[in-house]
Amino acid sequence: MFFSNANVSQFGFGVVSIGKSRKWYQIFPDRFANGDASIEPEGTLPWNSAEPSQTNFFGGDLQGVIDHIDYLDGNRHG
């Protein structure tokens, strides 16, 4: 469910002022970037070899997120 500032007020809370001027990312490391191929589980697929589904895995990890912080930081003004 999407909560806008208008419909959260019925629950007695709203968006804090800092949240109105920030971008928020929800990152799924296993779908973002593979930073350490040495820890790939068996059955890991090569990146872009298939459409993501609930049953496949491409080997993304926290190191992949760290390696691409510049990408995330570069999108903060867009």
Side-chain angles (χ1 to χ4, degrees), residues 42-66:
E42 187 176 320
T44 300
L45 299 173
W47 283 89
N48 298 316
S49 65
E51 284 291 317
S53 74
Q54 294 179 341
T55 59
N56 60 18
F57 183 73
F58 298 95
D61 50 47
L62 186 55
Q63 187 60 51
V65 175
I66 293 167

Side-chain angles (χ1 to χ4, degrees), residues 1-74:
M1 173 182 231
F2 175 76
F3 289 102
S4 70
N5 202 28
N7 67 8
V8 296
S9 61
Q10 67 183 329
F11 300 109
F13 61 91
V15 177
V16 293
S17 60
I18 194 171
K20 294 178 182 178
S21 63
R22 304 279 187 222
K23 280 190 178 179
W24 298 87
Y25 293 95
Q26 181 176 7
I27 299 173
F28 296 88
D30 63 317
R31 304 290 180 175
F32 186 77
N34 190 352
D36 185 354
S38 71
I39 60 170
E40 291 179 358
E42 187 176 320
T44 300
L45 299 173
W47 283 89
N48 298 316
S49 65
E51 284 291 317
S53 74
Q54 294 179 341
T55 59
N56 60 18
F57 183 73
F58 298 95
D61 50 47
L62 186 55
Q63 187 60 51
V65 175
I66 293 167
D67 292 347
H68 290 86
I69 290 293
D70 59 332
Y71 168 80
L72 296 171
D73 188 48

